[in-house]
Structure formats: structure tokens, C-alpha cells
Amino acid sequence: MKESLLNKIASREAVVGVVGLGYVGLPLAVAFAEAGFSVVGVDVDAGKVAALNRGKSYIEDVPDGQLAPLVSEGGNGRLRASANYADLKAVDAISICVPTPLRKTGDPDISYIINAAENLARLGCKGKLVVLESTTYPGTTEEIFWPRLVTDGMEVGRDVFLAFSPERIDPGRTDYTIFTTPKVIGGMTAACNEVALALYGTIVQQPVPVSSPATAEMVKLLENTFRAVNIGLVNEVALMCDKLNLDAWEVVEAAATKPYGFMPFYPGPGLGGHCIPIDPMYLSWKLRTLNYTARFIELAAEINSHMPDYVVSKVADALNDECKSVKGSKVLILGVAYKPNVSDVRESPAIDIIHLLQERGAVVQFHDPCVEDLSHEGILLQNTPFSAELLREMDCVIVVTHHDVFDWDMVAAEARLVVDTRHAIKVKGAGRVVYL
Ligand SMILES: NC(=O)c1ccc[n+]([C@@H]2O[C@H](COP(=O)([O-])OP(=O)(O)OC[C@H]3O[C@@H](n4cnc5c(N)ncnc54)[C@H](O)[C@@H]3O)[C@@H](O)[C@H]2O)c1
């Protein structure tokens, strides 16, 4: 079976399935289609499936112009989307890119992975390569996914090939692509690694084999924990600089001139997105089950999740200096996406900042060129068009996301008071600028 799969991959006769066509799965499906494979993408969201089969993308990193030629003729092209798992029956390899959020309790929610495994088990996976890409805690692939996928008498590495390969995509980034970003792959056996490396070697320049799925799972969590902890550290440096009356950005930028042994991270209004605030919690949860406290993770989470409160305290102080209260003040949030140049608002610190301001009675609006409306746990706001008049009307403008298209000179010139959490305003204008 291994030889047959390897031959099909080499000749591009292999049909590739992708489960979950979101920020991770859609670019992956496009990459396999562009590498010459027929691709079947399955998603439970019928709206996404219909859009894709019309050549309409909903992910910034995949423009319609790239997608449309692949799904040409109403879904009869090399890439086809479906809401039906049965369409994966005849595929040779399947990559799983379903969500792995946290539950309300803060515990990992791997129900999407379990659901995908049970659906695939019903189809039968004999002869297939199955690769889990969803970020998860060490042990998921072998202890949770594999037992649900396997049917009687199937041997891994002989009848079916299983690996974990974490996704490193960074939506909005253009300097690295799927092809130029090395990809870690941990197969359950040497044969699993061989088949997975052969498949992913067609879309990435440098596959990086590791000894097991659990190692690959831990690699991803180390990468994102590294970011969460370093952001936590630099956010605490910002809190300390505030007390010392120093400019945290000046300190970081000067430290970053050291040519070795230092990597700059910058303070901000808190963590956002689907990865950095959440993935380390998968690791700390797993360690709790082993009676161990992941102290760096817990501390970084505490500092980072406090940052929206800190931003609001800066706003309150700045308004107070002008004899104004938060209650009744008109506040504009500039940028609600969790990072520049994307429309993703998941876990965005802007949401917490808006909640905190509304609780205190501020009249909050937002402007974000990438986000039309924000509806989240009691917040229901429409994007307000950007203008000099709008800026002049506001008692305070809070810069939360540094989108490239913002006219910072106009913000500096027209806004009376800016609380800039991103150090975006570099020029002196009419009003006051308060940095974190
Ligand atoms: N977004 C990122 O930047 C990023 C980067 C690296 C890793 N990841 C990880 O990749 C995984 C996917 O993340 P994403 O951002 O692409 O999520 P997403 O929400 O954008 O996409 C997931 C898709 O899966 C679909 N889906 C849900 N349950 C399904 C099921 N049972 N069967 C089929 N489809 C199903 C959803 O409808 C959605 O379209 C997560 O584990 C995430 O942590 C995300």
C-alpha cells in the first residue's frame, strides 16, 4: 500500500482531501491543486462550500483570481468543495484542518477533531494517508484520533498512514508562503513519515521530519508558547516602564540593535487571534492532567489578558486630565481585527476594550477597513466610515490595530486625544498622543 501511495503521489494521480476549509484548510487545498493534484475539500459550512464552487474566496490570502481557475466550470475543476464526507471515499490522502478552540471553561475543545475522525472512520481509511493539522496537545493524534479512525484489524504504517503536521500559516503575511515555510511532520511509524513527507514535499520546499506525532504536536505548542511568553514579558516591561516613566518602545528598539541574543517583541493591547492566546492553554491543560503547572504559560496569560484593562485605565487617565469622564465620552476604536491587514476578529483585544469602555458608559464606535460589523457577546457595532470630521468629533481615539491603509498623519492632525497601543502615530499633530 505504501508503494502504491508513493507512486500515486509522484505521478499526481493521488486525489487529496482537505477537511475544514478555513484560514488553514483553504490555502492548503489550493496549494495541493496548484501542485497538480485533484483536491476535494469538505466543510460543514454549506455557505463556504457554495462560495468556493463559484470561485469566490472568503480568505484574504486566497484571492478569487487564484481560486477561480482551480474550480472552473461550476466545481468541475481540479479543486472541488463539498459538504458531504462521502465525497472523500475515493481520495488517497486527507489533511484535517478543523478548529480547536477552548471551551467556556478554558479547557481544550477537541470535539471537531473527534467528529472528523468518526466521519472518516465511517468511510473507511484503508490505503489512505491521514494527516491531522489542527493545533492540539501532545498525545491527541495517537491517543484520541487514531483509536477513533481505526477499524478492525487495520495496522498503522501498513494499511493506513497517520501523521501530525502542524500548520504555520500566518494570515496576511506575504514574505513567507506555504512553499517557503518549512513544515514539521511526525508520522506514527517510519512508513507514515515517508508517505507524509512525499505528499507535503510537493507543496513545501523543506519538510522537517520528527520522531512522532506527539513531538510534532509539541513543536507547534512550543512555537506559540514562545510568542505568548515573550509578548507577556514585553507587556510587563511596558507596565514597568510606565512606573519608571520610560518609553517601552524606545527601550525595546534600542535593545534590538544588539546583533545577537535578543529578539524584539513589542507591547500591545493584549493577545488576539486563534493561535497565540489559545494554543498555550492546550499545553497547560495537558500538563495539569499530569499534575504539573505550566508556570510561564499561566503567568504570561495573566499579564496578557490584563492588557485591555491597562489600555482602558490609560484612556480614563487621559480623559481625566482633560476634566472628562469615561461615561458619556465618545471613543473611536481604530482597528478591531486582531492583527494588521486581516478581517479576523477572533479573540481580538478590541472586543475586551469595547466591553470595558461600554461598561463604564463610553459611547463607542469603531473604524476598520477590513471589518464590516462586530457582533460579539453583547457588542453590536457597524464599521463607521473614516473621515477627518469623525476624528474631530471624538473625545478619544484608541489605536488597537495597525492596518497599513490607515492615514496616521490625518489621525495625528485631527484627533484631540489618541491612546496609541501600537506606536503607530509618529508625527506630532493637533492633539495629545498617549502611548502604552
Ligand atoms: N488561522 C491561523 O492562523 C492558524 C495557523 C496555524 C494553525 N491553525 C490551526 O489550524 C486549525 C484550523 O484553524 P482555522 O483558522 O483554519 O479555522 P477556521 O475556523 O478558519 O476553519 C475551520 C473550518 O473547519 C470547518 N469545520 C468545523 N468542523 C468541521 C467538521 N467536523 N468537518 C468539516 N469541516 C469542519 C469550519 O466550518 C471552518 O470552515 C486550528 O486547529 C488552528 O488552531 C490556525
Side-chain angles (χ1 to χ4, degrees), residues 20 22-24 43 48 85 100 112 115 134-135 167 171 274 346:
Y23 286 93
V24 167
D43 200 291
K48 285 185 177 172
Y85 270 84
T100 44
Y112 300 87
N115 180 275
S134 303
T135 307
E167 180 51 59
H274 186 59
R346 288 181 294 181

Side-chain angles (χ1 to χ4, degrees), residues 5-29:
L5 260 183
L6 290 173
N7 288 335
K8 281 182 170 181
I9 290 167
S11 65
R12 303 294 191 271
E13 281 164 50
V15 179
V16 178
V18 176
V19 174
L21 298 169
Y23 286 93
V24 167
L26 181 57
L28 186 71

Side-chain angles (χ1 to χ4, degrees), residues 132-188:
L132 182 60
E133 293 224 6
S134 303
T135 307
T136 184
Y137 55 81
T140 309
T141 306
E142 285 178 82
E143 295 160 17
I144 310 279
F145 190 74
W146 167 243
R148 286 169 172 83
L149 190 72
V150 68
T151 41
D152 280 352
M154 263 193 338
E155 190 181 312
V156 67
R158 188 194 65 188
D159 306 311
V160 60
F161 304 88
L162 183 61
F164 182 82
S165 179
E167 180 51 59
R168 285 175 162 163
I169 201 163
D170 184 9
R173 181 176 279 280
T174 49
D175 51 351
Y176 284 94
T177 62
I178 287 184
F179 185 65
T180 58
T181 308
K183 192 154 175 43
V184 171
I185 297 172
M188 257 175 87

